[in-house]
Amino acid sequence: MFVELVEPGGSQRRRRYHSSLTLAESELLILHVAAHYRCVGEQQIHEPIAQQTGLSDEVLAAIRANAPPPLGTARQRLLAEVANELLTTKKLSAALYERAVRELGERTLIEVVGILGYYALVAYTLNAFEMRLE
């Protein structure tokens, strides 16, 4: 299963839009990456999408400030916790890993890590070339 999700010929678009995550959940993860790397370009691109999915201005502002966002579901809170821990410590604690597998499933957790990693690459690229919307 892991190889199927990360094989080089696979499309990130397919992983993002045809995954077990909703678009709101994907955007939540992407915005955590953008905030962690202080990537204005990524925030400018993804905040409007996140708003269209129903994430509130309060949630977006909290993520931008690296504060705990007032998320509506336990699943969203778990995704935010996974994102924060992985971005901050570069790994997941055994307890959080076990909880995430139990509540999200292994396949979804692999998708979460893939989205976080891919958008970290995007953030590095946008930041390196100071790319943002005009």
Side-chain angles (χ1 to χ4, degrees), residues 75-86:
R75 181 175 163 103
Q76 287 177 333
R77 289 188 292 276
L78 176 57
L79 290 169
E81 187 177 347
V82 167
N84 283 328
E85 186 165 306
L86 190 57

Side-chain angles (χ1 to χ4, degrees), residues 76-123:
Q76 287 177 333
R77 289 188 292 276
L78 176 57
L79 290 169
E81 187 177 347
V82 167
N84 283 328
E85 186 165 306
L86 190 57
L87 289 165
T88 303
T89 69
K90 312 303 182 237
K91 60 183 181 176
L92 294 177
S93 66
L96 182 55
Y97 174 84
E98 290 172 19
R99 196 171 106 223
V101 168
R102 186 176 61 252
E103 295 181 25
L104 301 172
E106 185 178 42
R107 182 180 193 92
T108 299
L109 182 57
I110 292 168
E111 292 172 357
V112 167
V113 172
I115 287 172
L116 293 170
Y118 176 79
Y119 283 94
L121 168 68
V122 172

